[in-house]
């Protein structure tokens, strides 16, 4: 017994890590009151994320677009907003425009760039960075947040239920920055997606599918886990008013990348009907995924699923992938690396170089210099 105990102590096992999305770190002067506990006992919060344009404006085409010359309306590059957005975003709160970079001091230690507590000491031209200030509500306590609720109208916010921190296996229940970036791109290029049939892989809380639902005809928002899918379905219901003007529809479905087939068991929640599978394969022209590349095995499984689905589609398809490069110092490399991103890039290159006589994939990088339609913080690593 002693030998066994010593052996077990020599090889400790860490079953899970607590993960916190950076989106939740920018909530100054806000009370964090939960809406409810989910089925596994995690506290669930409700956040209002501000749209810089109302859905009525989006539906009517009243938004800022880049002109051919770029002179009438200049879109700021990287993490910047369109010029017309600047005054709107300043009302939401600001941080400095300095990007987060991986810097080393003289001893080789990671040097953390800290944001100031107050923007009072910054130059006016540096006040370009917005922050996320979600309004957290508690059912039955609406009066305590009357002032916050008056700041919003039904047409200019996305309401999302989410958790603040989760084990690694439940990260889909949080809100991630790349989902906002992909949502920005959807709204900026909404004419491209109008009337499309869309599949989202790893939809999580559903925010990207909800935004896509404002312009697309039908969106299949997929993930795994009954508790997560129930949260996603609740978010779709909370934002139904955003999709109604365009007649869009979001269907929440289970899609496990570790399985080779769609779940069609009628006794399983969020399973597929044969008609829905046929509709997806016959009409899907867009597949999207945001911030799902954090585990090498899951990345491999996603690309296998991506190949299987695109191979069976009736029409050609465009896949949009958004992610945040998360830099970490690793003991294995004794350097700052982003191993999950490196594996993603290698797998993506393998897909592009695939020669099986059946499919041809072309990879194109989209620069994140398009206008910002949602209030969140853009960083260089997006």
């Amino acid at each position: 017994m002693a030998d066994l105990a010593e052996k077990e102590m020599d090889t400790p096992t860490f079953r899970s890590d607590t993960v916190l999305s950076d989106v939740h770190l920018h909530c100054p002067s806000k009370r964090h009151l939960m809406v409810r506990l989910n089925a596994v006992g995690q506290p669930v919060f409700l956040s209002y994320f501000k749209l810089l344009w109302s859905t009525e404006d989006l539906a009517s085409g009243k938004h800022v677009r880049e002109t051919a010359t770029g002179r009438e309306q200049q879109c700021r590059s990287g993490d910047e907003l369109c010029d017309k957005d600047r005054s709107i975003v300043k009302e939401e709160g600001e941080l400095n425009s300095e990007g987060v970079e991986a810097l080393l001091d003289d001893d080789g230690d990671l040097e953390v760039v800290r944001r100031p507590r107050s923007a009072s000491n910054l130059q006016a031209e540096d006040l370009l960075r917005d922050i996320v200030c979600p309004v957290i509500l508690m059912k039955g306590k609406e009066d305590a947040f009357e002032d916050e609720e008056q700041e919003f109208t039904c047409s200019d916010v996305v309401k999302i239920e989410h958790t603040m921190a989760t084990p690694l296996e439940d990260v889909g229940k949080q809100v991630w920055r790349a989902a906002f970036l992909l949502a920005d791109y959807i709204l900026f290029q909404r004419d491209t997606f109008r009337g499309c049939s869309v599949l989202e892989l790893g939809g999580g809380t559903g925010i990207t599918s909800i935004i896509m639902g404002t312009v697309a005809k039908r969106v299949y928002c997929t993930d795994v886990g009954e508790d997560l899918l129930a949260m996603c379905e609740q978010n779709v219901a909370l934002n139904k008013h955003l999709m109604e003007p365009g007649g869009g529809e979001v269907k929440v479905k289970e899609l496990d990348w570790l399985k080779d087939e769609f779940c069609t068991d009628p006794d399983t929640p969020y399973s597929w009907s044969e008609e829905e599978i046929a509709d997806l394969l016959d009409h899907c022209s867009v597949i999207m995924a945001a911030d799902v590349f954090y585990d090498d095995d899951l990345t491999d499984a996603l690309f296998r699923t991506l190949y299987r689905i695109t191979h069976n589609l009736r029409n050609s398809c465009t896949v949009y992938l958004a992610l945040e490069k998360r830099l970490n110092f690793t003991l294995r490399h004794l350097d700052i690396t982003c191993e999950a991103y490196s594996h993603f890039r290698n797998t993506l290159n393998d897909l592009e170089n695939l020669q099986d006589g059946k499919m041809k994939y072309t990879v194109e990088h989209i620069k994140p210099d398009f206008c910002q339609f949602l209030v969140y913080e853009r960083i260089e690593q997006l």
Side-chain angles (χ1 to χ4, degrees):
M1 291 295 293
D3 292 340
L4 178 61
E6 290 178 2
K7 185 176 180 180
E8 291 178 350
M9 291 180 64
D10 290 340
T11 57
T13 300
F14 299 94
R15 296 185 180 277
S16 63
D17 297 314
T18 299
V19 181
L20 175 67
S21 168
D22 288 344
V23 170
H24 306 311
L25 299 180
H26 305 285
C27 308
S29 304
K30 295 292 181 179
R31 287 164 287 184
H32 293 196
L33 299 179
M34 68 180 181
V35 176
R36 59 183 172 85
L37 290 176
N38 61 21
V40 294
Q42 298 166 337
V44 176
F45 299 83
L46 177 66
S47 296
Y48 283 17
F49 294 100
K50 179 78 171 178
L51 277 164
L52 297 178
W53 282 270
S54 68
T55 51
E56 286 82 359
D57 290 339
L58 293 171
S60 63
K62 295 179 181 178
H63 73 297
V64 181
R65 295 294 298 270
E66 279 188 287
T67 62
T69 61
R71 294 180 182 273
E72 295 179 21
Q73 179 58 57
Q74 298 177 351
C75 279
R76 291 154 40 190
S77 63
D79 62 343
E80 303 182 38
L81 304 176
C82 293
D83 293 336
K84 190 174 180 180
D85 304 344
R86 192 174 304 178
S87 60
I88 303 175
V89 174
K90 283 186 178 182
E91 296 176 1
E92 303 298 326
E94 301 157 324
L95 284 173
N96 65 323
S97 60
E98 183 178 358
V100 179
E101 299 180 356
L103 302 176
L104 299 178
D105 60 18
D106 295 337
D107 297 328
D109 298 323
L110 179 63
E111 193 172 82
V112 179
V113 180
R114 299 189 181 277
R115 297 184 178 90
R117 291 179 177 271
S118 172
S120 60
N121 60 334
L122 299 176
Q123 297 296 325
E125 61 268 22
D126 291 334
L127 298 180
L128 304 176
R129 179 64 64 82
D130 56 306
I131 58 176
V132 175
C133 298
V135 176
I136 309 301
L137 306 177
M138 174 183 285
K139 289 184 178 180
K141 301 291 185 180
E142 288 83 357
D143 294 343
F145 298 92
E146 183 176 355
D147 294 339
E148 286 95 336
E149 289 187 29
Q150 290 177 354
E151 297 175 6
F152 304 106
T153 64
C154 290
S155 62
D156 63 1
V157 296
V158 182
K159 293 178 285 187
I160 297 294
E161 286 193 1
H162 60 89
T163 57
M164 285 287 190
T166 63
L168 185 61
E169 58 268 21
D170 280 339
V171 292
K173 296 177 182 177
Q174 297 191 54
V175 183
W176 299 93
R177 204 154 22 203
F180 288 104
L181 183 72
L182 184 52
D184 276 343
Y185 185 77
I186 293 167
L187 293 176
F188 184 66
Q189 297 285 353
R190 68 185 184 281
D191 291 342
T192 302
F193 304 107
R194 197 178 303 280
C196 288
S197 182
V198 181
L199 170 67
E200 181 174 14
L201 301 174
T205 60
I207 186 168
T208 308
S209 284
I210 290 167
I211 295 299
M212 180 63 85
T214 65
V215 293
K217 177 182 179 181
R218 182 171 295 111
V219 182
Y220 291 98
C221 180
T222 68
D223 216 309
V224 292
E226 184 177 346
D227 193 55
L228 171 59
L229 293 171
M231 175 186 288
C232 182
E233 188 174 54
Q234 170 69 2
N235 288 332
V236 171
L238 286 172
N239 295 280
K240 188 176 180 180
H241 61 283
L242 298 177
M243 296 171 275
E244 287 177 341
E249 177 187 24
V250 176
K251 291 190 172 186
V252 179
K253 296 293 175 181
E254 176 183 311
L255 183 55
D256 191 340
W257 307 339
L258 300 177
K259 297 180 180 178
D260 293 333
E261 301 293 338
F262 293 94
C263 177
T264 56
D265 183 357
D267 294 329
T268 301
Y270 308 104
S271 62
W272 297 72
S273 67
E274 295 296 339
E275 292 77 13
E276 288 169 336
I277 296 175
D279 175 66
L280 175 72
L281 299 181
D282 288 345
H283 300 104
C284 180
S285 60
V286 175
I287 298 177
M288 59 182 184
D291 250 336
V292 296
F293 305 102
Y294 57 90
D295 177 88
D296 291 355
D297 291 336
L298 288 179
T299 296
D300 294 339
L302 181 142
F303 275 98
R304 288 194 298 269
T305 300
L306 194 61
Y307 175 81
R308 174 174 57 84
I309 292 176
T310 53
H311 178 71
N312 290 302
L313 293 179
R314 179 184 294 273
N315 304 306
S316 60
C317 179
T318 305
V319 182
Y320 296 89
L321 306 175
L323 70 158
E324 178 180 340
K325 294 172 64 177
R326 292 175 174 83
L327 303 171
N328 296 288
F329 183 86
T330 63
L331 292 176
R332 183 169 67 174
H333 297 281
L334 293 178
D335 197 1
I336 296 172
T337 63
C338 188
E339 293 184 292
Y341 177 78
S342 298
H343 185 77
F344 158 75
R345 289 296 308 186
N346 292 335
T347 310
L348 187 63
N349 291 337
D350 292 341
L351 187 67
E352 186 177 25
N353 296 328
L354 180 66
Q355 296 181 357
D356 61 357
K358 301 177 182 179
M359 301 289 296
K360 173 63 178 176
Y361 296 88
T362 302
V363 177
E364 178 184 353
H365 176 255
I366 300 175
K367 293 183 179 180
D369 57 356
F370 41 86
C371 295
Q372 189 162 342
F373 288 80
L374 280 157
V375 175
Y376 69 101
E377 183 190 22
R378 282 195 188 178
I379 61 173
E380 293 180 0
Q381 284 73 30
L382 277 174

